[in-house]
């Protein structure tokens, strides 16, 4: 019986799979590439959902600045109603207007940041406003082929490539063979050598440095202290990211006990989603925090804490990227 159900499901999804494959292949082959006057580094992934692109982009921006570059960041602004417009993002921007990840990037990176469905147009607007920028980082854009790029980085997490099939039969946006064209494959907390098809493979780890109180970032609490403080309390953890279990696993590794609530990626939170009780304590990611900060959470929970993460990169990855960028600059 299970085999019949699987076969029927496969039969229904197969035509959709073919349409997706044809569409994605056509976009890649026939998209008109738009070149920008500075080198472009694209950070993306093949698997649907987040795999660690945003913390990697933040780390790249920091490391490039430390090596004398002036980076800017462009992004899609997923979830925002931008239409065909492009716009600048600042630390005060609202997530519903520019997207949650761009808000986080703007607050953490101190880099000029513009968003738009057309990343090339966003890049041109950023460079016009900030002529000092000499390299652009594109947070998510591996499949946005209208933007010409000089360096491509593909990120995977512990999910790997799933069953290896493209949508909707599997989790992939493009075939694994696409990795043969990227400059580096990065594993977020996992080894990716077996997936990399001979391309340079690197390991990235996400480090935590304690929690901060939502709405009062200056009020910080080490993880060990928070574990003691929350013992026996009604603790809830939310995650509206591509792979919520990764956040929950991090909390468990820190010694926290909680009830987990997984939401859709880019979840537009409402107060009712978080009404866990007047004695409850809420834990969340920074990506969730940029959307929850505007809610009157004191009506739903007693307190809320945010866990920021920082990507640790091997120097060899930065050496590879800088070498490529210098080659572009001298061309």
């Amino acid at each position: 019986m299970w085999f019949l159900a699987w076969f029927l499901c496969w039969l229904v999804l197969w035509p959709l799979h073919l349409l997706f494959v044809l569409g994605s292949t056509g976009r890649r082959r026939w998209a008109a590439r738009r070149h920008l006057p500075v080198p472009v580094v694209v950070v993306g992934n093949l698997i649907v959902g987040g795999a660690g692109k945003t913390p990697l982009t933040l780390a790249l921006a920091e490391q490039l600045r430390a090596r004398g570059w002036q980076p800017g960041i462009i992004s899609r602004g997923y979830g925002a109603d931008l239409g065909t417009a492009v716009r600048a993002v600042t630390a005060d921007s609202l997530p519903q207007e520019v997207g949650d990840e761009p808000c986080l990037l703007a607050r953490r990176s101190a880099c000029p940041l513009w968003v738009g469905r057309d990343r090339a147009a966003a890049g041109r607007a950023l460079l016009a406003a900030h002529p000092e920028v000499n390299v652009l980082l594109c947070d998510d854009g591996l499949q946005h082929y209208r933007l010409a790029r000089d360096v491509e980085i593909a990120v995977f997490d512990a999910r790997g490539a799933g069953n290896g099939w493209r949508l909707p039969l599997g989790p992939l946006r493009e075939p694994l063979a696409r990795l043969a064209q990227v400059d580096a494959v990065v594993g977020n907390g996992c080894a990716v050598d077996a997936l990399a098809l001979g391309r340079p493979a690197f390991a990235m780890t996400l480090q935590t440095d304690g929690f901060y109180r939502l709405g009062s970032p200056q009020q910080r609490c080490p993880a060990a202290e928070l574990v003691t403080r929350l013992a026996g309390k009604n603790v809830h953890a939310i995650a509206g990211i591509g792979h919520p279990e990764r956040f929950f696993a991090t909390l468990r590794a820190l010694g926290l006990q909680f009830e987990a609530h997984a939401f859709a990626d880019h979840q537009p939170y409402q107060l009712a989603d978080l009404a866990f009780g007047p004695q409850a304590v809420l834990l969340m990611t920074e990506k969730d925090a940029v959307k929850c900060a505007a809610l009157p959470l004191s009506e739903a929970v007693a307190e809320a804490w945010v866990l920021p993460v920082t990507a640790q990169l091997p120097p060899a990855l930065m050496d590879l990227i800088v070498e490529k960028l210098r080659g572009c600059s001298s061309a």
Side-chain angles (χ1 to χ4, degrees), residues 117-139:
R117 182 178 300 172
D118 184 340
R119 272 75 141 194
R124 285 195 297 271
L126 186 154
L127 293 172
H130 298 275
E132 74 280 4
V133 168
N134 56 12
V135 59
L136 285 174
L137 299 172
C138 181
D139 178 42

Side-chain angles (χ1 to χ4, degrees), residues 203-226:
M204 175 181 86
T205 58
L206 298 182
Q207 302 293 323
T208 61
D209 187 28
F211 293 76
Y212 65 81
R213 190 86 175 248
L214 182 68
S216 301
Q218 69 279 5
Q219 185 178 348
R220 305 190 70 88
C221 185
E225 183 179 324
L226 194 66

Side-chain angles (χ1 to χ4, degrees), residues 237-249:
I238 63 169
I241 58 178
H243 186 37
E245 183 52 38
R246 184 169 64 239
F247 176 62
F248 301 144

Side-chain angles (χ1 to χ4, degrees), residues 168-222:
L169 294 176
L172 297 183
R173 300 171 177 178
E174 295 186 277
L176 285 174
R178 172 72 172 83
L179 295 178
Q181 282 80 50
V182 305
D183 296 282
V185 181
V186 174
N188 177 12
C190 62
V192 289
D193 301 75
L195 288 175
L197 298 181
R199 306 306 297 157
F202 302 93
M204 175 181 86
T205 58
L206 298 182
Q207 302 293 323
T208 61
D209 187 28
F211 293 76
Y212 65 81
R213 190 86 175 248
L214 182 68
S216 301
Q218 69 279 5
Q219 185 178 348
R220 305 190 70 88
C221 185

Side-chain angles (χ1 to χ4, degrees), residues 40-102:
V40 174
V41 180
V42 168
V43 179
N45 57 325
L46 297 190
I47 196 168
V48 172
K53 299 183 298 294
T54 299
L56 175 54
T57 301
L58 284 169
L60 291 177
E62 180 181 357
Q63 291 295 319
L64 285 170
R65 189 183 292 112
R67 294 186 182 217
W69 292 82
Q70 297 294 322
I73 301 174
I74 53 178
S75 180
R76 165 68 175 85
Y78 186 87
D81 186 17
L82 292 167
T84 58
V86 298
R87 63 182 300 175
V89 183
T90 69
D92 298 322
S93 294
L94 299 176
Q96 62 267 30
E97 295 178 352
V98 298
D100 49 13
E101 288 165 343

Side-chain angles (χ1 to χ4, degrees), residues 139-155:
D139 178 42
D140 196 6
L142 204 60
Q143 290 78 37
H144 186 71
Y145 288 109
R146 287 198 297 175
L147 175 64
R149 67 285 312 266
D150 303 281
V151 182
E152 288 187 321
I153 303 173
V155 190

Side-chain angles (χ1 to χ4, degrees), residues 39 46 56 74 83 104 110 112 117 119 127 144 157-159 164 168 201 203 210 216 240 252 254 284 291 294 303 328:
L46 297 190
L56 175 54
I74 53 178
L104 175 56
R117 182 178 300 172
R119 272 75 141 194
L127 293 172
H144 186 71
D157 60 14
R159 293 171 294 169
S216 301
R252 294 187 190 101
L254 293 174
M284 66 184 69
K291 292 171 290 188
E303 54 187 289
C328 297

